[in-house]
Amino acid sequence: LKKASKRLTCHKRYKIQKKIREHHRKVRKEAKKRGHKKPKKDPGVPSAAPFKAELLREAEQRKQKLEELKQKQKLNRQKEHEKKRKLEAKKNAAKIKEKTEGKVGESSGKSKAKTNKLLDKNSKKSFCRELKKVIDASDVVLEVLDARDPMGCRCPQLEQAVTCSGGDKKLLLVLNKIDLVPKENLQKWLNYLKKEFPTVAFKSATLMKDRTMFTKRRARVDLSSTTERFGSKCLLKLLQDYGRTQNKTIQVGVVGFPNVGKSSIINSLKGVRACNVGLTRGVTKSMQIVHIDKQTKMLDSPSIIADPSNSALALALRSIIDTEEPGSAAMLEGVDAILNHCSKQQVVMHYSIPDFRNTEEFLTLLAQKRGMLKKGGVPDIENIAKTLLCDWTGAKVRYYSQPPGSPRPPPYLTEDKIAKMQECFNLKNLEEENNNTVQALKYPSPASSIIFQSAGMTDGTIEENKVIEDASEWENLETSKEGEEEEEDFTESDDDDHDEDDMEVEMDVKELGKRQTSPGNSEKQIPESEHSNSLSLSLDKTADEDDAYDFNTDYV
């Protein structure tokens, strides 16, 4: 069958058009009777009005305030949506896990036990427990220091625990990453540190992943090979000589703050990759025993936990950072502390960026230069802050600090304890070996390095009972049902808070709208000094503190 034609006769078409015109005419008549008129255009402030420019500026500021309040409300909603999406993703992942296991009844108990194990292994208390185990089991404790900031890597609590242990326990300082500081600066630090403890200059080997790969020429290349290492023979000889004097197999504990190179030193002494290493902080989570030879055992330990009472600089460089944590306030504070302790001109030259006014502008410029942008070309401040902190604790940034002017030992180090720590070690041979190590390496020039002001020793937590766990630190590891229920309650309370915030924002918007139509302030004349104060409006001020102007007032 053919489709019916849509063609009309001219009579019918004209009739329809006429009816439409009549209908529109009728609608216009009714609108006229009801009195609906077009809104009149705002005439603005008359030219004869006093303080016209100031009044216009105030009006513009009110308008900006309203826009900022609306933007704040929008951002809060987006954050809530992101939280809900993350929770839903976690729930879905947990459900898929339960289905794959096939045991719905027993899965809750098993997942609970697994979660407790993960939480226990990754918690700060577990780190302190393992560190204490290493210190107690060691005959010699190696405190690893970053040569760029040796004083900031020293932990007085650890040194006091070793020196005051009462036994024959010895403490050695290992100055690692010596290839990142100028030669003159390294010699100054060796002369300063050897007055307190025997100090070894060390440059650990950079170990690649234990795997092989094929190049374009199909040649088999082993990436587990090491680069050159310096100071390993000196340290190994020192430990072996001490073991012979004791006539027993000695256990050597390697301790220090995150990313100072503890595991890399053990790998360099062993000659192969025995311990896991990485740029992220907190890779080693438990004590590991590595046999160097028949007389020497090395004990790898987790990082020392930095005390929360330390300065922002110490926490930024020496604490374990949770990269999954969404909040960026702590990281921004850490970056700000680093920039405040460096020469601004040297930082600008090192990163090849233009001059900046504050930390946020610095991170924005760096993110744009490195191409770390979010959707819409917005600079990714959080990720660039994490990258910067990793660069400063890793081996990418060359900076150095000066040793203290007056060599005063800490109060827990008396002359007797210093002499006791230096017993059974051949200090002359150690000094000669250190000089050989210093002469064999290539060093950066002071002009290409950044001068850094150290914040002094960093307090650490060694006792397990003194650790304060962060509730949100390991939240991402929770997969049990109870954890999910708690998170649901948390989001509900968050939603309530969000609704309250929205109500407050809407009330502020209404108040600002009412203020613009309220009469009574037009007759007041504002002096210049008071007016200049009123111009410096902040976002934290409420609408009641501002002077309103009634634009409906007529001036004659």
Side-chain angles (χ1 to χ4, degrees):
L1 293 173
K2 290 183 180 180
K3 288 184 180 180
S5 175
K6 292 182 181 180
R7 294 174 68 184
L8 298 172
T9 60
C10 291
H11 172 74
K12 198 169 185 180
R13 189 166 68 250
Y14 294 149
K15 193 176 179 181
I16 290 168
Q17 289 174 0
K18 188 180 177 184
K19 287 281 183 186
I20 290 168
R21 282 197 300 273
E22 286 175 0
H23 173 72
H24 286 165
R25 198 181 299 119
K26 191 178 179 182
V27 170
R28 282 198 300 273
K29 267 189 178 182
E30 286 175 359
K32 207 171 184 181
K33 283 178 185 178
R34 284 198 302 268
H36 282 287
K37 297 177 183 179
K38 290 182 181 178
K40 288 184 179 180
K41 192 177 179 182
D42 184 16
V45 183
S47 299
F51 309 112
K52 180 183 175 181
E54 289 83 351
L55 294 171
L56 288 172
R57 205 175 296 122
E58 284 180 10
E60 187 65 30
Q61 285 171 353
R62 283 195 203 89
K63 191 177 178 182
Q64 285 177 2
K65 258 195 173 181
L66 288 169
E67 287 175 1
E68 284 165 1
L69 288 169
K70 286 177 184 176
Q71 194 68 22
K72 187 179 176 184
Q73 192 175 1
K74 189 179 177 182
L75 287 171
N76 287 336
R77 283 175 187 163
Q78 286 176 355
K79 284 179 184 176
E80 290 302 321
H81 285 310
E82 284 178 8
K83 278 184 184 177
K84 286 178 183 177
R85 275 200 296 272
K86 283 179 183 176
L87 282 172
E88 283 175 7
K90 283 182 184 177
K91 286 178 190 175
N92 293 335
K95 284 178 184 177
I96 291 165
K97 260 191 178 180
E98 285 181 4
K99 285 179 183 178
T100 51
E101 284 173 3
K103 296 177 182 180
V104 181
E106 297 175 5
S107 62
S108 60
K110 286 182 180 179
S111 62
K112 209 173 184 181
K114 283 179 183 177
T115 306
N116 288 336
K117 282 180 184 177
L118 280 169
L119 285 168
D120 185 56
K121 190 179 178 183
N122 291 291
S123 66
K124 290 181 179 179
K125 286 189 177 180
S126 172
F127 280 27
C128 285
R129 199 183 308 125
E130 294 294 318
L131 179 64
K132 190 71 176 167
K133 211 188 290 182
V134 169
I135 294 169
D136 293 340
S138 302
D139 299 306
V140 179
V141 177
L142 301 182
E143 187 179 10
V144 185
L145 311 178
D146 191 330
R148 296 172 293 182
D149 183 20
M151 197 55 74
C153 296
R154 289 182 66 177
C155 177
Q157 287 77 15
L158 170 73
E159 293 178 4
Q160 190 171 1
V162 175
T163 53
C164 301
S165 59
D168 292 332
K169 213 181 287 291
K170 302 292 181 183
L171 181 67
L172 292 177
L173 301 181
V174 181
L175 204 59
N176 196 18
K177 303 182 185 180
I178 58 172
D179 58 320
L180 300 176
V181 295
K183 186 177 179 180
E184 298 79 11
N185 183 256
L186 173 62
Q187 288 171 338
K188 284 180 185 177
W189 274 112
L190 287 172
N191 293 332
Y192 175 81
L193 294 171
K194 72 180 182 182
K195 294 174 183 175
E196 297 179 13
F197 296 103
T199 308
V200 181
F202 203 93
K203 192 263 175 185
S204 56
T206 308
L207 293 168
M208 306 298 288
K209 292 184 178 180
D210 286 330
R211 62 189 178 117
T212 56
M213 63 176 287
F214 288 99
T215 59
K216 290 181 180 178
R217 295 180 183 178
R218 299 288 179 185
R220 198 173 181 83
V221 179
D222 186 10
L223 290 184
S224 63
S225 60
T226 66
T227 60
E228 270 193 301
R229 52 189 186 270
F230 296 89
S232 56
K233 289 180 181 178
C234 170
L235 181 59
L236 199 56
K237 188 181 176 184
L238 198 69
L239 295 173
Q240 286 171 347
D241 291 345
Y242 178 74
R244 289 192 199 99
T245 58
Q246 299 296 311
N247 292 323
K248 65 172 184 178
T249 302
I250 59 166
Q251 292 188 332
V252 183
V254 185
V255 297
F257 283 102
N259 270 37
V260 291
K262 301 181 292 296
S263 302
S264 298
I265 286 173
I266 295 174
N267 291 340
S268 299
L269 293 174
K270 182 72 175 172
V272 293
R273 182 174 178 174
C275 303
N276 287 330
V277 292
L279 288 173
T280 54
R281 307 183 190 184
V283 174
T284 308
K285 301 188 188 314
S286 59
M287 182 175 76
Q288 298 178 36
I289 301 172
V290 179
H291 293 264
I292 303 296
D293 52 31
K294 291 180 181 179
Q295 297 295 321
T296 314
K297 288 181 187 175
M298 303 297 290
L299 307 179
D300 195 8
S301 68
S303 306
I304 301 171
I305 302 297
D307 197 86
S309 62
N310 284 305
S311 63
L313 177 67
L315 291 174
L317 295 175
R318 310 291 163 225
S319 63
I320 298 170
I321 294 176
D322 184 13
T323 54
E324 299 295 327
E325 198 176 345
S328 61
M331 282 185 291
L332 288 175
E333 192 179 349
V335 174
D336 186 44
I338 289 171
L339 293 177
N340 288 336
H341 284 74
C342 298
S343 170
K344 187 178 180 182
Q345 187 180 0
Q346 288 181 331
V347 171
V348 167
M349 289 175 67
H350 177 79
Y351 288 104
S352 301
I353 56 172
D355 194 13
F356 55 90
R357 287 170 292 181
N358 50 35
T359 307
E360 198 166 345
E361 189 180 352
F362 166 74
L363 291 173
T364 304
L365 291 168
L366 193 60
Q368 287 171 349
K369 193 195 172 195
R370 294 192 178 180
M372 297 183 76
L373 305 173
K374 291 182 182 177
K375 196 173 180 181
V378 180
D380 196 348
I381 301 294
E382 286 186 26
N383 280 334
I384 196 67
K386 287 176 192 173
T387 307
L388 188 105
L389 291 177
C390 287
D391 289 352
W392 276 75
T393 51
K396 285 193 176 182
V397 183
R398 293 175 174 179
Y399 62 92
Y400 65 96
S401 58
Q402 296 292 344
S406 55
R408 290 181 184 176
Y412 54 83
L413 268 183
T414 59
E415 290 182 4
D416 296 336
K417 285 180 181 175
I418 291 171
K420 188 181 176 183
M421 288 294 124
Q422 293 177 351
E423 279 179 3
C424 305
F425 292 115
N426 193 337
L427 298 179
K428 286 184 179 178
N429 285 346
L430 175 61
E431 192 171 352
E432 287 176 7
E433 291 289 340
N434 280 339
N435 288 333
N436 294 336
T437 304
V438 170
Q439 296 299 328
L441 263 172
K442 288 182 180 179
Y443 300 93
S445 64
S448 63
S449 302
I450 299 172
I451 300 172
F452 181 76
Q453 294 177 0
S454 179
M457 289 189 182
T458 305
D459 292 330
T461 308
I462 297 173
E463 299 295 332
E464 187 183 344
N465 53 5
K466 293 181 182 178
V467 175
I468 301 168
E469 289 287 353
D470 297 332
S472 62
E473 189 170 7
W474 310 106
E475 189 181 346
N476 56 343
L477 296 170
E478 294 182 7
T479 52
S480 62
K481 288 183 179 179
E482 290 181 7
E484 288 176 0
E485 288 171 2
E486 288 173 6
E487 286 173 349
E488 285 175 5
D489 296 337
F490 177 73
T491 51
E492 286 174 5
S493 64
D494 277 356
D495 288 338
D496 295 337
D497 296 340
H498 172 59
D499 292 337
E500 290 175 7
D501 292 341
D502 288 352
M503 288 293 290
E504 289 176 5
V505 171
E506 286 171 8
M507 287 294 290
D508 291 339
V509 171
K510 286 178 183 176
E511 283 178 12
L512 284 168
K514 287 177 183 177
R515 293 292 306 276
Q516 291 183 359
T517 55
S518 62
N521 290 334
S522 60
E523 296 176 0
K524 294 181 182 179
Q525 292 186 351
I526 307 164
E528 287 183 4
S529 61
E530 291 179 10
H531 177 68
S532 63
N533 293 333
S534 68
L535 289 180
S536 58
L537 294 171
S538 62
L539 294 177
D540 299 330
K541 288 185 179 179
T542 57
D544 295 330
E545 295 177 11
D546 300 333
D547 293 329
Y549 172 73
D550 186 7
F551 290 97
N552 296 326
T553 308
D554 294 325
Y555 287 89
V556 181

